[in-house]
């Protein structure tokens, strides 16, 4: 069985930048430890917007410019980068995504899992927006894969929305590691 870890949007703007929260800051070390000790393949996503972000539908609904390509807030958190450099896992290119979920990630993992069973674990930010969106895409593309969320390595916009997202994913047969 192939083991895959998906690191969702562990970028500066979601941790201590434009949309950062204390909850996001509190999971960084746990997420870095998971990456550092993971055995398998690591994939990930990078929320990626342009200078026109505020003119997009997302920008009109969330008028906080964030993860603008090339800016410091777009970059992966330093502790996460260090963990990726230290892991013995095979680290693949991260998918840039302009929406909550990544169709590209779904396609890449469908190909990676085409010849053997996969266990896919997701960690990252934000549980209630991008983690749940990517988990649902993966569940749709790979209905027989075991999809898991490590709740200790995720944070939502609020603790309540984090808990609600975990319950929603559980209802869709995504396993939650508490």
């Amino acid at each position: 069985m192939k083991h895959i870890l998906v690191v969702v949007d562990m970028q500066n703007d979601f941790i201590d930048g434009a949309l950062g929260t204390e909850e996001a800051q509190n999971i960084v070390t746990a997420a870095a430890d998971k990456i550092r000790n993971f055995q398998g393949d690591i994939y990930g996503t990078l929320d990626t917007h342009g200078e026109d972000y505020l003119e997009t539908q997302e920008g009109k609904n969330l008028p906080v410019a964030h993860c603008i390509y090339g800016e410091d807030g777009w970059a992966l958190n330093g502790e996460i980068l260090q963990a990726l450099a230290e892991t013995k896992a095979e680290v693949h290119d991260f998918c840039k995504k302009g929406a909550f979920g990544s169709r590209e990630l779904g396609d890449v993992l469908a190909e990676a899992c085409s010849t053997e069973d996969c266990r896919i674990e997701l960690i990252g930010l934000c549980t209630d927006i991008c983690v749940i969106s990517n988990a649902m895409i993966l569940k749709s593309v790979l209905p027989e894969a075991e999809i898991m969320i490590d709740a200790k390595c995720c944070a939502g916009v609020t603790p309540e929305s984090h808990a609600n997202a975990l319950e929603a994913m559980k209802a869709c047969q995504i396993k939650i590691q508490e």
Side-chain angles (χ1 to χ4, degrees):
M1 177 174 283
K2 180 177 277 224
H3 293 176
I4 294 173
L5 179 65
V6 176
V7 180
V8 178
D9 298 356
M10 289 296 293
Q11 295 161 270
N12 292 327
D13 269 347
F14 292 123
I15 296 168
D16 55 12
L19 295 172
T21 65
E22 184 177 334
E23 291 82 15
Q25 293 168 32
N26 290 340
I27 69 155
V28 172
T29 298
D33 288 343
K34 170 138 336 238
I35 292 165
R36 196 174 284 110
N37 296 309
F38 190 76
Q39 295 182 15
D41 292 287
I42 297 176
Y43 294 83
T45 62
L46 294 167
D47 199 45
T48 303
H49 301 292
E51 295 295 330
D52 66 341
Y53 171 76
L54 294 175
E55 298 163 25
T56 67
Q57 181 176 344
E58 181 183 327
K60 291 174 184 170
N61 287 294
L62 177 63
V64 179
H66 65 281
C67 296
I68 306 301
Y69 181 75
E71 293 185 3
D72 289 340
W74 177 79
L76 285 170
N77 168 272
E79 192 172 345
I80 298 300
L81 277 172
Q82 185 64 38
L84 288 165
E86 294 171 358
T87 189
K88 296 201 180 343
E90 183 173 344
V91 179
H92 299 267
D93 288 340
F94 279 34
C95 299
K96 295 177 188 81
K97 62 180 188 58
F100 301 141
S102 173
R103 288 177 24 187
E104 179 185 356
L105 178 68
D107 293 343
V108 167
L109 292 189
E111 177 66 28
C113 297
S114 65
T115 60
E116 63 184 299
D117 291 338
C118 284
R119 177 177 182 223
I120 303 169
E121 186 172 353
L122 289 87
I123 63 173
L125 302 167
C126 294
T127 317
D128 47 328
I129 302 173
C130 295
V131 173
I132 192 172
S133 295
N134 284 289
M136 296 301 196
I137 288 170
L138 294 175
K139 191 66 175 168
S140 294
V141 172
L142 295 161
E144 295 302 318
E146 182 180 355
I147 311 285
M148 301 177 59
I149 306 295
D150 186 338
K152 295 179 302 304
C153 294
C154 293
V157 174
T158 67
E160 296 79 18
S161 62
H162 168 77
N164 289 338
L166 293 175
E167 287 302 313
M169 288 185 278
K170 195 182 297 182
C172 293
Q173 301 179 0
I174 294 168
K175 295 183 178 173
I176 308 299
Q177 257 179 273
E178 301 287 341

